[in-house]
Every structure is written in structure tokens, then in C-alpha cells.
């Protein structure tokens, strides 16, 4: 695929799927004033990325074998970028490499979400992608009189790199409803995870799960750089998936297909098991929680 054809293909897919954050990053950069190093890197990456995206989008099923194919294509793109030192051309502020993982999460779950929408979502309230997710509601008023006569509501939200979520309209004593987005799963995606990041994510998990205790809150990281003496099990994070298992700073390992499948499979199980149906849990499994 030539550079112009690849660019046009990426634009077309982005029009259809605005959630493609890495595609958006590429197109934005390609239309910006770049340093020569950035331009050279982007010229090399655009055809390779278009090939990767085309291959992943061609996979419409989500069996374990299908997921493994997606991971294979992802590794090919990552490796092309890494072994040609192309990711170093872009500053960390531009979030070029991090958007690869964020976008892959959308591509990983895309077809499953589309099936959910066909089967259950007659009102078109289910969406997926990066989102400002609801954490809590609060009441506000200019003074006590205003509190009595015309109180308003405010919403606190937290940015999530990826979520599968439902949109609600809520209103209290008002004709103007506010849209909130409640995630069924919420994912923080990190190139690497250190202790400072983990502490921040733990605080976010607490807020998100206070908003919806049935949210499955997970972290997906390429590398894990937290001391093994720290155990995240005490937090409200449900799981941390490390895609390049045991990789140190100066190593390079492929994304592990088994970890990605575990991430996908356990997420689907969360959707398909009872959430607060105590009677069914008791009858079928003899457990309550």
C-alpha cells in the first residue's frame, strides 16, 4: 500500500470509527508542522500502520484464535516501530506510542460490543472507547434559599482510556437532563506502570466503583515497574494485566497473546455472569457475592 493510499485508508477508517485514537494521532501529526525526524518516521509508519489496521479490522470473530491473530498483527507493528527506532522521533507529550495500546483495546472488543448492540441495545445507549466516566453526583446551590427552591446537580467524572459504557440522562427538579456515562468495564492503559501511577489509579478505581460497584476496573500495562513488595490486591482494582511479562527496561518482549486472551475472556465473563442477582447465584453456585 503506497503512502497516499495508506493515508486515505486511515482517514476513511477514522471517519467510520472515531474511537481510533492512534489513527487520529497519526493524521493530526501528518497535518502539523513536523521536525524532519518526525516526518521521516511518520512517512515510514503510515503504510505499516494502515496494513496493521486493515488486517485487524478484517477479523470479525473473537475466538481465542482470532484474538491471537490480532495480537500477532499488533506485535508486527510494535516491532517495526521499535527495531527501526521510530517511536523515539516523537515526544512523550504527544502520546504517540501510548495511543497504540489505547486503540488496540477498542479493536480488541469492537466486534463483541457490536454484537451486544445488535442483541440488546435498541435505544443505542451502549458505546465503547475513551470516555469521561461518571464517579459521583453532588448538589449545588448559591445559598440556602437556592438550596430550598432550586437546587442543581453537579457531576464528577474521571477520564478513562477505554470503557464499555452506558449513557444515562439524569435530572433533579430540572427540565435540562445531564448525560452521564456509567462504565461496565473501565480500563487504564499504560506503557509502563510505576508506583506513582499505581497510587493514582487506585484512587480512580475507588471513585469509579463508588459510582457503579458493578464496574470491572482493570489496568493494562506493557511493563510493570512496581516493587513486588506492593500488593495492589488491597485496592478496588479488579485486575492488572501485564502484556510483556517480566520485561525489564532494556529488554524487548512481544505482547503475550495468552495475557490478551485472558483479559478478553475475563471481561466477557464479567458481562455474562449475574451481577446483583443473589437468588440466581445462590441457586446455581451456592455463593452470594
Amino acid at each position: 500500500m503506497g503512502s497516499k493510499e495508506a493515508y486515505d485508508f486511515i482517514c476513511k477508517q477514522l471517519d467510520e470509527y472515531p474511537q481510533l485514537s492512534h489513527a487520529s494521532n497519526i493524521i493530526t501529526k501528518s497535518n502539523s508542522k513536523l521536525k524532519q525526524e518526525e516526518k521521516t518516521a511518520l512517512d515510514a509508519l503510515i503504510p505499516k500502520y494502515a496494513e496493521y489496521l486493515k488486517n485487524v479490522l478484517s477479523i470479525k470473530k473473537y475466538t481465542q484464535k482470532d484474538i491471537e491473530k490480532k495480537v500477532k498483527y499488533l506485535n508486527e507493528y510494535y516491532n517495526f516501530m521499535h527495531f527501526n527506532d521510530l517511536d523515539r522521533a516523537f515526544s512523550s507529550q504527544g502520546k504517540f506510542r501510548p495511543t497504540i495500546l489505547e486503540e488496540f483495546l477498542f479493536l480488541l472488543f469492537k466486534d463483541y460490543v457490536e454484537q451486544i448492540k445488535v442483541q440488546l441495545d435498541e435505544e443505542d445507549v451502549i458505546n465503547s472507547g475513551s470516555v469521561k466516566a461518571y464517579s459521583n453526583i453532588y448538589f449545588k446551590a448559591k445559598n440556602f434559599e437556592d438550596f430550598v427552591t432550586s437546587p442543581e446537580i453537579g457531576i464528577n467524572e474521571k477520564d478513562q482510556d477505554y470503557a464499555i459504557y452506558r449513557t444515562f440522562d439524569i435530572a433533579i427538579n430540572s427540565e435540562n437532563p445531564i448525560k452521564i456515562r456509567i462504565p461496565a468495564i473501565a480500563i487504564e492503559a499504560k506503557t509502563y506502570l510505576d508506583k506513582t501511577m499505581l497510587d493514582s489509579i487506585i484512587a480512580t478505581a475507588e471513585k469509579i466503583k463508588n459510582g457503579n460497584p458493578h464496574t470491572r476496573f482493570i489496568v493494562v500495562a506493557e511493563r510493570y515497574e512496581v516493587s513486588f513488595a506492593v500488593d495492589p490486591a488491597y485496592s478496588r482494582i479488579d485486575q492488572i494485566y501485564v502484556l510483556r511479562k517480566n520485561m525489564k527496561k532494556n529488554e524487548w518482549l512481544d505482547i503475550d497473546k495468552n495475557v490478551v486472551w485472558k483479559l478478553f475472556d475475563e471481561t466477557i465473563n464479567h458481562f455474562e455472569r449475574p451481577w446483583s442477582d443473589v437468588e440466581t447465584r445462590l441457586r446455581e453456585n451456592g455463593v452470594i457475592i
Side-chain angles (χ1 to χ4, degrees):
M1 193 181 297
S3 295
K4 178 64 167 62
E5 183 185 0
Y7 178 90
D8 291 343
F9 173 80
I10 295 169
C11 289
K12 182 179 179 181
Q13 301 312 311
L14 190 55
D15 286 341
E16 184 171 359
Y17 304 111
Q19 304 96 325
L20 294 174
S21 54
H22 191 57
S24 178
N25 202 321
I26 285 176
I27 297 304
T28 299
K29 280 183 168 54
S30 67
N31 293 325
S32 303
K33 187 175 180 179
L34 300 174
K35 299 175 183 177
Q36 185 57 48
E37 183 184 13
E38 294 173 321
K39 185 179 185 308
T40 300
L42 207 58
D43 287 345
L45 280 168
I46 284 176
K48 191 67 178 179
Y49 171 71
E51 177 188 359
Y52 153 71
L53 185 60
K54 182 177 182 180
N55 285 334
V56 174
L57 288 174
S58 71
I59 302 170
K60 299 300 184 183
K61 297 179 181 178
Y62 40 83
T63 65
Q64 184 170 356
K65 188 172 290 186
D66 294 313
I67 300 301
E68 289 176 356
K69 284 182 183 177
K70 289 186 178 183
V71 175
K72 171 181 173 291
Y73 295 131
L74 176 64
N75 276 320
E76 288 175 356
Y77 181 59
Y78 266 129
N79 290 343
F80 177 80
M81 177 181 292
H82 175 75
F83 290 113
N84 290 285
D85 288 329
L86 298 176
D87 53 341
R88 296 183 184 179
F90 306 101
S91 67
S92 58
Q93 289 84 356
K95 287 193 66 179
F96 188 77
R97 177 168 166 179
T99 56
I100 301 174
L101 180 55
E102 293 171 13
E103 179 183 276
F104 180 74
L105 293 170
F106 168 73
L107 293 169
L108 178 66
F109 291 103
K110 181 181 76 68
D111 297 299
Y112 180 77
V113 173
E114 288 177 358
Q115 177 184 292
I116 290 175
K117 291 184 71 64
V118 169
Q119 293 178 342
L120 303 175
D121 189 18
E122 294 181 1
E123 298 180 5
D124 193 28
V125 294
I126 296 295
N127 287 287
S128 67
S130 62
V131 69
K132 290 185 178 295
Y134 169 86
S135 62
N136 69 285
I137 186 174
Y138 60 93
F139 294 88
K140 56 184 180 179
K142 296 176 182 177
N143 50 44
F144 181 69
E145 180 182 350
D146 200 39
F147 175 72
V148 173
T149 60
S150 55
E152 296 180 3
I153 58 173
I155 301 295
N156 282 327
E157 299 172 314
K158 298 294 292 183
D159 289 329
Q160 293 304 127
D161 295 321
Y162 179 79
I164 298 173
Y165 59 93
R166 188 196 195 280
T167 302
F168 292 84
D169 290 327
I170 62 170
I172 298 176
N173 293 339
S174 172
E175 296 180 359
N176 301 313
I178 299 174
K179 287 192 180 296
I180 63 171
R181 290 153 288 273
I182 306 288
I185 64 161
I187 303 180
E188 293 273 355
K190 299 295 181 186
T191 301
Y192 67 91
L193 183 64
D194 62 18
K195 179 62 166 58
T196 301
M197 293 176 184
L198 179 61
D199 289 341
S200 175
I201 291 170
I202 287 171
T204 299
E206 185 75 24
K207 290 182 174 68
I208 293 293
K209 297 199 77 163
N210 280 343
N212 177 21
H214 301 301
T215 296
R216 178 170 170 81
F217 190 97
I218 63 183
V219 184
V220 179
E222 288 188 53
R223 302 196 314 269
Y224 189 75
E225 297 180 5
V226 181
S227 167
F228 294 150
V230 177
D231 188 354
Y234 73 87
S235 73
R236 296 190 76 181
I237 296 172
D238 290 293
Q239 189 54 273
I240 299 174
Y241 298 91
V242 183
L243 303 182
R244 303 184 193 273
K245 297 192 304 185
N246 301 322
M247 188 178 87
K248 299 176 182 177
K249 282 187 178 181
N250 296 324
E251 290 182 318
W252 183 258
L253 299 177
D254 278 351
I255 300 292
D256 191 300
K257 62 184 181 181
N258 295 317
V259 178
V260 176
W261 170 248
K262 189 175 182 66
L263 157 66
F264 182 84
D265 188 49
E266 290 180 354
T267 299
I268 300 314
N269 286 339
H270 173 65
F271 287 135
E272 297 180 353
R273 69 176 180 84
W275 283 4
S276 62
D277 189 345
V278 175
E279 180 182 356
T280 298
R281 287 181 177 179
L282 180 60
R283 184 176 64 249
E284 294 183 356
N285 301 309
V287 296
I288 301 299
I289 299 176

